[in-house]
Amino acid sequence: MVDVSQHELVPEHTVLEEETLEEVLSEYNIDRTDLPKIKRNDPALPDEAEVGDVIKIVRDSRTTDQAVVYRLVVE
């Protein structure tokens, strides 16, 4: 089988640590549940991602070089 997460067009997905997550949530003044969602069975997710984790996704951007977005892993 092909590992989709390793394809060159799939942006980098990493699980955020709790202390980093708290900084992000306070910066944006939001709760974890306010984040957009990503399903646990999404093939781009790292293997260690579990329901309730927050994923940092870094995409290439034409205007800002890199765009960072966050997603909450749901069932």
Side-chain angles (χ1 to χ4, degrees), residues 51-63:
V51 173
D53 286 344
V54 174
I55 305 298
K56 177 182 179 180
I57 303 170
V58 180
R59 297 183 175 120
D60 290 333
S61 171
R62 293 182 196 169
T63 56

Side-chain angles (χ1 to χ4, degrees), residues 13-14 17 21 24 29 39 42 44 47-49 57 70 75:
H13 288 62
T14 55
E17 296 181 15
L21 173 60
V24 170
N29 194 27
K39 292 201 175 225
D42 189 303
D47 292 334
E48 66 271 12
I57 303 170
Y70 301 94
E75 188 103 17

Side-chain angles (χ1 to χ4, degrees), residues 3 20-21 23-24 28-29 35 41 44-45 51 53-55 58 63 68-69 73:
D3 185 2
T20 307
L21 173 60
E23 292 173 11
V24 170
Y28 292 107
N29 194 27
L35 292 168
N41 60 1
L45 282 179
V51 173
D53 286 344
V54 174
I55 305 298
V58 180
T63 56
V68 178
V69 296
V73 179

